[in-house]
């Protein structure tokens, strides 16, 4: 993190000469408030709340993981001229504090969208030491996403109180959509004969909590390193014991081990979304519905 802080300071020196005016910081050329988000899921939720009154820019490029992200000078300029910065929190963006400091934007409203979410604690000591105490993937829970939408709305209202009623109404409308999707699949998932499924990495703990499902995975919460031979044997035994017929895979995680495991147990591999990056031109609700439908269909 010290290297990152030094890197960001150098970037800020380079961009300082081209700093925008106070007016340009607050609004885009078309009058919309500039809001910067960390990664795709935050962009989706923020756009749903802000609608036509905001312009959303995203720091982490598609195909790049938020954990290892390092901003460029152009991305630092985005934060410098923004009115609001939306990050997820829970250790997902360990660079946030350094970015905010280096951006030198005193009026910036910063919100951690996950604040107040009922968190899932990590149990692995090394993961806790490296990433913090909690599983960060709360945006994959329809219940947690409602908390995040509320937090985002509060930040937009603080930055732009003139449109507070619109932000509040749009947040409530979107939360109703999230709740409706949750209720629909809560009923359907309750009828499943099996509740165990296997993924490429352990990103779906919050989704599992929503629907009383049980996840096992090839890689850890942070998809760091391939499993050992001993771990693979245990996972193979688990798949056989629970009659696993599908291995779910995610973009950004090497599918090699998933394909090998699927071949060993005679299963198929099926992609599902983590929403860390934009995929197939589909929005948050569409991809969440497709995730839930895939899980439901393959557990029937």
């Amino acid at each position: 993190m010290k290297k990152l802080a030094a890197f960001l300071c150098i970037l800020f020196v380079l961009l300082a000469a081209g700093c925008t005016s106070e007016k340009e910081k607050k609004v885009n050329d078309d009058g919309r408030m500039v809001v910067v988000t960390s990664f795709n899921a935050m962009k989706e939720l923020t756009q749903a709340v802000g609608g036509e009154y905001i312009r959303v820019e995203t720091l982490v490029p598609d195909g790049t993981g938020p954990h290892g992200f390092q901003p460029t000078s152009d991305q630092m300029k985005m934060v410098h001229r923004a009115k609001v910065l939306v990050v997820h929190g829970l250790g997902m963006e360990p660079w946030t504090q350094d970015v905010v400091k280096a951006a030198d934007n005193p009026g910036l409203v910063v919100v951690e969208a996950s604040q107040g979410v009922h968190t899932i604690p990590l149990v692995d000591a090394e993961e806790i030491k490296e990433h913090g105490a909690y599983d960060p993937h709360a945006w994959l829970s329809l219940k947690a996403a409602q908390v995040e939408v509320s937090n985002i709305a509060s930040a937009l209202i603080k930055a732009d109180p003139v449109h507070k009623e619109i932000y509040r109404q749009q947040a409530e409308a979107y939360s109703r959509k999230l709740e409706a999707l949750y209720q629909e699949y809560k009923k359907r998932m309750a009828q499943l004969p099996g509740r165990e499924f296997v993924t490429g990495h352990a990103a779906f703990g919050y989704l599992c909590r929503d629907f009383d499902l049980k996840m096992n995975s090839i890689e850890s919460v942070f998809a760091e390193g391939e499993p050992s031979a001993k771990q693979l044997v245990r996972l193979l035994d688990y798949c056989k014991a629970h009659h696993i017929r599908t291995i779910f895979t995610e973009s950004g995680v090497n599918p090699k081990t998933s394909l090998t495991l699927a071949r060993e147990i005679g299963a198929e591999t099926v992609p599902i979304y983590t929403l860390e990056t934009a995929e197939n031109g589909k929005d948050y609700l569409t991809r969440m519905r497709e995730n839930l439908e895939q899980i439901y269909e393959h557990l029937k």
Side-chain angles (χ1 to χ4, degrees), residues 91-109:
M92 195 65 189
E93 306 98 338
W95 37 263
T96 298
Q97 190 173 18
D98 290 328
V99 166
V100 171
K101 182 178 179 181
D104 191 28
N105 184 350
L108 183 68
V109 175

Side-chain angles (χ1 to χ4, degrees), residues 37-48:
T37 59
S38 54
F39 62 97
N40 180 258
M42 296 301 98
K43 175 185 177 181
E44 296 277 349
L45 299 183
T46 300
Q47 189 65 70

Side-chain angles (χ1 to χ4, degrees), residues 20 32 51 53 55 60 76 166 173-174 182 185 194 204 220 222 233 235 252 265 277 279-280 295 297:
T20 54
R32 293 178 294 168
Y53 294 93
R55 175 178 174 175
V60 181
M76 288 301 299
I166 293 171
Y174 197 74
Y182 167 76
Y185 277 90
F204 299 91
S220 68
F222 299 96
V233 169
L235 188 55
I265 63 174
T277 187
E279 296 161 287
N280 299 334
I295 293 170
E297 286 295 327

Side-chain angles (χ1 to χ4, degrees), residues 162-175:
V162 172
H163 297 112
K164 64 180 180 180
E165 288 304 320
I166 293 171
Y167 296 142
R168 187 175 292 117
Q169 290 168 11
Q170 291 181 162
E172 290 173 354
Y174 197 74
S175 287

